[in-house]
Amino acid sequence: FRIVATGGTSRALELANIPSVRVLKVKEGRPHIVDLIKDGEVQLVINTVSGKQAQKDSLSIRQETLLRNIPYYTTIEGARALVLALEKNQSQAGPRSLQELHRLLSEESGA
């Protein structure tokens, strides 16, 4: 996988030794994340936001992902369930609901 991330997320990933490519936020100029989505360079979005301004700023990301049928996660829990599914290679285990994956993740982490 190739991860693209905006500034703060990119820095956090770097500190965790996870490589990413920094991309601009929409308000920072072009080319920005929505441009990448429109160009078909993004197949999955994890966009956790807090606060009204951040939610407003992410509207164009949400709209483009919906228009292009791109999976879109808005919570850390959802992203963790996704990672768990990828790690467990769900194609062999059959389909599972997000709720079931969340339960499995909670059991594995002891939460």
Side-chain angles (χ1 to χ4, degrees), residues 89-103:
N89 193 355
Q90 287 303 118
S91 63
Q92 294 177 358
R96 293 192 178 166
S97 68
L98 181 60
Q99 292 80 5
E100 184 177 2
L101 291 172
H102 181 44
R103 180 183 54 76

Side-chain angles (χ1 to χ4, degrees), residues 19-81:
S20 68
V21 176
R22 189 178 183 286
V23 65
L24 297 175
K25 292 181 179 185
V26 173
K27 65 183 180 182
E28 294 176 330
R30 294 193 119 140
H32 52 63
I33 185 60
V34 175
D35 291 330
L36 294 180
I37 294 169
K38 287 180 178 180
D39 291 344
E41 295 183 40
V42 174
Q43 292 76 42
L44 169 77
V45 173
I46 300 171
N47 188 26
T48 60
V49 296
S50 60
K52 292 208 180 278
Q53 186 60 46
Q55 289 176 357
K56 190 182 235 183
D57 292 344
S58 69
L59 177 63
S60 57
I61 296 171
R62 288 192 308 277
Q63 288 175 327
E64 282 305 315
T65 57
L66 287 171
L67 285 172
R68 298 173 191 289
N69 293 316
I70 296 171
Y72 183 81
Y73 294 80
T74 59
T75 64
I76 296 299
E77 293 82 9
R80 280 191 183 130

